[in-house]
Amino acid sequence: MKKHNFYAGPSILSEYTIKNTADAILNFADTGLSILEVSHRSKEFQAVIDEAAALVKELLNVPQGYSVLFLGGGASMQFCMIPYNFLQNKAAYLDTGTWASNAIKEAKLFGEVDVVASSKDANYTYIPKDFTVPADVDYFHFTTNNTIYGTEIRHDPDLGVRLIADMSSDIFSRPIDVAKYDAIYAGAQKNLAPAGVTIVIVKDEALGHVERAIPTMLNYKTHIAKGSMFNTPPVLPIYSALQTLRWYRDMGGIEALEKRDMEKAALLYEAIDSSRMFQGTVTDPADRSIMNVCFVMTPEYKDLEKDFIDFAGGRGIVGIKGHRSVGGFRASLYNAMPIDSVRVLVEAMKDFEATR
Ligand SMILES: *Cc1c(COP(=O)(O)O)cnc(C)c1O
């Protein structure tokens, strides 16, 4: 049976990505060797990482003066690398979920952290709007898409200070005004590649302004100087990332992807809002994520949640169980998710509802 993969991460990848990765595991770039066994210093792999960096720049319209890095350690490593490299006196952070608060925890090890607003009081079901950011902060850090709670900030805020963002779960789903940012980072396993690589887009000139000594591997300058090859980079995830980036380009680029993502999300939210059995956990439509759609059963039907997961599973739908801190369901609609799979889910919701 065809599977419809709604997992939140690691998550669905395009067939193009998976097929080309499988081919390269058998024979990489006609070398007669597997991508798993070639030197990262080979000219064939150098071509891969160069093209991947160039495509990130092209797709996201990255201006001059920024470097694109492919690092290990996941997005969680960036929670520490960001303040290590950018926090001299004080930074502002927006607390919109588990990942945001993990980033805050790390930043506090390095200097003063002003948590300008938090939606923790309502289990992170909304994006705080009424807050001000002190003008003297080194940067404002936020999480553009809250993977666990299904909220999203789909714009690049004007706050009068430099921005830094964790875009792990919605990068490549909208155009970004990169010039407003000193750094953008994204773990690959939500919208790009298998786990193991993190993309970092960093403004070169913004580095070098902290007084502390920075360990070699945690210093962005190390990786910029060596083109992400200071040590062995995650070769296979980078190869897969390149395939996805090519697929993104061939799909028509970011605007086309965004349009498609909006259609998918609208279809599912419509089904949730028009149902008597399901309800969204994020009520303000402006705050709703188009990547991770979180919903539950209304109190009357609450005890049927497990049954629906089984029912949907019978139709090949996998990965819709909500995160334990939200419960219910979460359908992740990353770029690689075809609209037909969303239709299958919507159909399953309607059919299940009709049985009660
Ligand atoms: C998944 C996720 C992370 C954690 O990523 P790791 O690569 O596992 O460290 C951080 N931020 C966001 C927004 C995420 O979705």
Side-chain angles (χ1 to χ4, degrees), residues 149-163:
Y149 302 93
T151 60
E152 189 174 18
I153 301 171
R154 292 193 66 76
H155 63 278
D156 312 299
D158 283 308
L159 297 165
V161 298
R162 303 294 299 159
L163 305 177

Side-chain angles (χ1 to χ4, degrees), residues 39-350:
S39 169
H40 59 294
R41 311 250 174 231
S42 64
K43 71 173 187 327
E44 289 83 4
F45 185 72
Q46 186 65 53
V48 167
I49 199 164
D50 289 347
E51 187 185 342
L55 273 174
V56 171
K57 288 186 173 174
E58 180 187 320
L59 287 164
L60 295 178
N61 230 327
V62 177
Q64 291 289 314
Y66 283 78
S67 297
V68 174
L69 303 175
F70 299 94
L71 305 180
S76 299
M77 175 74 95
Q78 297 307 310
F79 297 162
C80 127
M81 280 180 79
I82 292 291
Y84 229 134
N85 286 264
F86 290 104
L87 177 48
Q88 174 61 26
N89 296 312
K90 183 162 76 162
Y93 275 70
L94 186 64
D95 178 22
T96 53
T98 305
W99 300 118
S101 66
N102 286 0
I104 290 167
K105 179 163 170 265
E106 294 299 293
K108 284 182 174 167
L109 299 171
F110 296 91
E112 191 184 335
V113 174
D114 188 342
V115 180
V116 293
S118 171
S119 47
K120 192 172 188 219
D121 56 350
N123 200 30
Y124 297 119
T125 48
Y126 70 99
I127 299 287
K129 315 253 166 15
D130 295 324
F131 59 84
T132 49
V133 176
D136 62 345
V137 295
D138 298 318
Y139 60 85
F140 170 75
H141 178 283
F142 67 116
T143 312
T144 51
N145 184 66
N146 299 284
T147 322
I148 294 175
Y149 302 93
T151 60
E152 189 174 18
I153 301 171
R154 292 193 66 76
H155 63 278
D156 312 299
D158 283 308
L159 297 165
V161 298
R162 303 294 299 159
L163 305 177
I164 293 185
D166 174 359
M167 299 197 182
S168 293
S169 51
D170 68 351
I171 193 164
F172 304 117
S173 74
R174 68 170 173 93
I176 304 166
D177 187 355
V178 178
K180 289 182 180 174
Y181 293 83
D182 278 352
I184 291 168
Y185 59 93
Q189 70 274 23
K190 311 286 166 50
N191 221 359
L192 189 66
V197 66
T198 302
I199 293 191
V200 183
I201 303 168
V202 58
K203 186 175 167 94
D204 302 330
E205 271 185 0
L207 295 170
H209 303 303
V210 291
E211 278 157 24
R212 69 179 67 84
I214 305 174
T216 309
M217 275 296 286
L218 299 180
N219 192 332
Y220 292 116
K221 286 188 168 184
T222 303
H223 301 288
I224 292 172
K226 299 287 182 182
S228 302
M229 298 270 217
F230 170 75
N231 68 330
T232 319
V235 170
L236 184 74
I238 293 171
Y239 184 82
S240 294
L242 172 61
Q243 307 315 308
T244 304
L245 292 163
R246 284 179 177 168
W247 185 71
Y248 285 172
R249 181 196 53 204
D250 296 347
M251 291 288 288
I254 300 299
E255 277 82 3
L257 291 167
E258 180 178 40
K259 185 165 170 283
R260 206 167 151 262
D261 290 335
M262 297 290 242
E263 278 167 18
K264 288 184 286 178
L267 185 64
L268 183 51
Y269 281 119
E270 217 288 298
I272 293 167
D273 290 341
S274 62
S275 142
R276 72 185 145 87
M277 187 176 263
F278 299 96
Q279 66 186 29
T281 54
V282 179
T283 42
D284 185 345
D287 293 347
R288 285 178 163 180
S289 169
I290 65 165
M291 295 276 106
N292 310 99
V293 177
C294 294
F295 55 108
V296 293
M297 276 181 176
T298 57
E300 191 185 341
Y301 299 102
K302 199 81 197 160
D303 50 341
L304 294 179
E305 286 185 342
K306 167 90 181 48
D307 290 353
F308 177 65
I309 287 180
D310 293 343
F311 181 86
R315 297 185 178 192
I317 294 165
V318 297
I320 56 163
K321 194 171 187 313
H323 189 274
R324 63 188 174 281
S325 50
V326 179
F329 317 101
R330 170 175 52 176
S332 297
L333 313 181
Y334 298 120
N335 289 352
M337 162 77 54
I339 195 158
D340 282 345
S341 289
V342 184
R343 289 201 182 99
V344 171
L345 174 60
V346 165
E347 187 88 353
M349 290 163 68
K350 296 207 161 122

Side-chain angles (χ1 to χ4, degrees), residues 18-50:
I18 292 178
K19 163 125 196 354
N20 289 352
T21 302
D23 288 349
I25 286 175
L26 297 175
N27 180 9
F28 167 53
D30 278 327
T31 54
L33 299 171
S34 167
I35 180 93
L36 303 177
E37 55 179 3
V38 293
S39 169
H40 59 294
R41 311 250 174 231
S42 64
K43 71 173 187 327
E44 289 83 4
F45 185 72
Q46 186 65 53
V48 167
I49 199 164
D50 289 347

